[in-house]
Amino acid sequence: MSDDMPEARLPTDAPQTFVLVHGACHGGWCWARVAPILERAGHRVLTPTCGGVGERSGELTPQTGLDSFIGDIAEVLVAQDVSNAVLVGHSFGGCIISGVADQMPERLAQLIFLDAMVVQSGEAPMSILAGEVVEARRRAAALSPGGLCMPAPSASAFAVTDPADAEWVERHLTPHPIKTYEDRLVLRHPLGNGLPKTYVACTRPEFSATAPVRRWVREQAGWSCREIATGHDAMVLAPALLADLFMAIAAGRM
């Protein structure tokens, strides 16, 4: 990972609280290039890791599932006395932030789904993936200790191809609990629970796993749609561009 960080933007917008939620096989570490840019612009940033992955991989149990991931982020919001936050979910993290918004919308200002999975109440994350992808993931998980986890892919699966970046990402990726993908998301309210929702699609290249979601979101009322010309792991590949986009969305400038 490069030590050269982009210059901080001047804090022209009101300070915000950003809670950045990672995707599958990742952890809070993946936001290490974005968080300092937002902080230097005057914003508060939290980058929690869900139990069972990342630096919390040792907390994995057979019960680690979608609800426990949602609960982990909800606990952070309470413990850190978060209010009026911009809640961002990357990739699989889209399912997590949907669940958090359903439980505690009073702590949130808006939702940003970054190249994210979006499932309806009663659906499991696996249900929106292609059949061959589901079967491959289940076979791979069956070979893991206890059959609990899907192995982490290479960084190239997330469009990270620069050798230095790929080495950094692969050093931190961890296997992901398959139960989080098999569990159904249960919502008591409409998706988003009345909060403003923005979907940010990564377009260079497009991530095949979220292609059906991107198409669906564009057809829905109540969603704002934006694009960023970088690969799926935008926080690694284009941190300054992504931070600027988050700030613009949060400030209502886009």
Side-chain angles (χ1 to χ4, degrees):
M1 174 180 174
S2 171
D3 292 329
D4 295 329
M5 297 298 300
E7 289 297 319
R9 302 318 194 252
L10 293 176
T12 54
D13 300 319
Q16 305 279 351
T17 296
F18 289 90
V19 181
L20 309 179
V21 180
H22 61 83
C25 301
H26 290 58
W29 59 266
C30 71
W31 303 103
R33 299 179 178 182
V34 172
I37 302 172
L38 296 174
E39 289 169 341
R40 288 201 294 270
H43 304 294
R44 181 188 184 195
V45 185
L46 299 176
T47 59
T49 296
C50 295
V53 294
E55 73 275 14
R56 298 181 64 187
S57 59
E59 300 176 28
L60 175 70
T61 73
Q63 289 72 47
T64 302
L66 180 55
D67 283 347
S68 57
F69 272 33
I70 293 169
D72 286 341
I73 303 304
E75 287 177 8
V76 168
L77 298 187
V78 174
Q80 296 296 322
D81 197 23
V82 170
S83 63
N84 207 38
V86 179
L87 185 61
V88 179
H90 173 243
S91 197
F92 178 81
C95 303
I96 301 172
I97 70 171
S98 294
V100 173
D102 194 64
Q103 295 179 13
M104 47 181 58
E106 71 280 359
R107 292 186 178 270
L108 306 174
Q110 60 179 297
L111 307 175
I112 299 177
F113 293 78
L114 175 59
D115 223 27
M117 300 183 77
V118 179
V119 300
Q120 304 301 311
S121 184
E123 289 184 330
M126 281 291 198
S127 68
I128 64 171
L129 298 177
E132 61 271 19
V133 173
V134 172
E135 289 307 311
R137 293 187 178 188
R138 286 175 173 160
R139 286 195 301 269
L143 299 175
S144 71
L148 299 181
C149 286
M150 303 176 292
S154 66
S156 62
F158 306 112
V160 180
T161 57
D162 174 81
D165 286 346
E167 189 278 331
W168 178 66
V169 168
E170 290 176 0
R171 182 156 37 89
H172 288 85
L173 291 174
T174 53
H176 189 88
I178 192 168
K179 189 174 187 298
T180 65
Y181 271 82
E182 301 279 15
D183 288 347
R184 296 181 184 275
L185 177 66
V186 178
L187 303 176
R188 298 169 297 172
H189 308 93
L191 180 67
N193 205 1
L195 294 164
K197 305 182 297 294
T198 300
Y199 194 93
V200 177
C202 299
T203 62
R204 193 177 297 174
E206 292 189 341
F207 189 57
S208 60
T210 54
V213 175
R214 291 192 298 273
R215 290 194 294 268
W216 178 83
V217 166
R218 292 187 185 108
E219 296 171 354
Q220 305 307 306
W223 285 81
S224 296
C225 296
R226 302 289 181 265
E227 295 183 352
I228 184 169
T230 188
H232 187 59
D233 266 12
M235 70 289 293
V236 175
L237 298 165
L241 188 63
L242 186 62
D244 280 349
L245 182 58
F246 284 169
M247 289 187 283
I249 292 171
R253 290 187 278 109
M254 294 193 70

